[in-house]
Each structure stands twice: as structure tokens, then as C-alpha cells.
Amino acid sequence: MNYWWDGFAAGPDSPYAAMLLAMIALAERPERERAAWRAYFDHYVFRPNGHPLAHLPEERHGVLGPLAKGNYGRIRTLVMRMLRGA
């Protein structure tokens, strides 16, 4: 498996770790379900049409707001709790 190396994005929240988690969470789901998740990832993560909440003020973006404004920690805490089964 090849992937682009980003020396600044290492550890449990690296893109590679996210891809591995996506593989066990999504890869063997039915095609229609994978297609739906692909659409979610495109819309919320890859954002080919821009930010999904661009029509709202930034303070209303919640977890889709800038990571530097506290969302990084909130999202990471949520994911770690989910991975621990809490």
C-alpha cells in the first residue's frame, strides 16, 4: 500500500491511521452503504464544493469549525472515547 508521507502528521490522528480505521469500518460494507459514506466523506472531509457550512457564520459551524479554535481537541476526545468503547 502506498500513501503520501507527511512527516508532521504522525501518530493516532494521522491520515494513514484514519485510512486504516476506515478500512476496518467501511471496506466490507455493502456497496450502497459504502457509496453513502463516500458521499459523506466528500461533503464533510474533502469538500469539493467548498465548506459545507459556508452559508453560516463561523461561530455556528460547531465541530465543522476551524480545528485551531478548539475543535481539534473536541473531535479527538470524541474519537478516542468511541475507540475505547465508552
Side-chain angles (χ1 to χ4, degrees):
M1 173 182 329
N2 290 327
Y3 62 94
W4 291 275
W5 174 251
D6 179 354
F8 296 102
D13 53 356
S14 72
Y16 184 59
M19 185 179 73
L20 292 174
L21 182 56
M23 287 170 59
I24 63 173
L26 301 169
E28 295 186 4
R29 299 231 179 234
E31 174 57 34
R32 290 177 68 147
E33 193 174 330
R34 289 193 325 268
W37 279 108
R38 185 177 300 116
Y40 281 126
F41 271 71
D42 281 346
H43 186 71
Y44 291 107
V45 178
F46 298 110
R47 302 175 181 178
N49 300 313
H51 195 286
L53 299 178
H55 61 286
L56 295 174
E58 189 176 286
E59 63 270 10
R60 303 287 308 264
H61 287 190
V63 296
L64 292 178
L67 295 175
K69 293 191 176 179
N71 281 322
Y72 174 87
R74 281 192 280 283
I75 294 169
R76 192 172 195 283
T77 298
L78 175 62
V79 169
M80 296 307 280
R81 282 185 191 149
M82 294 169 98
L83 289 172
R84 284 193 302 270

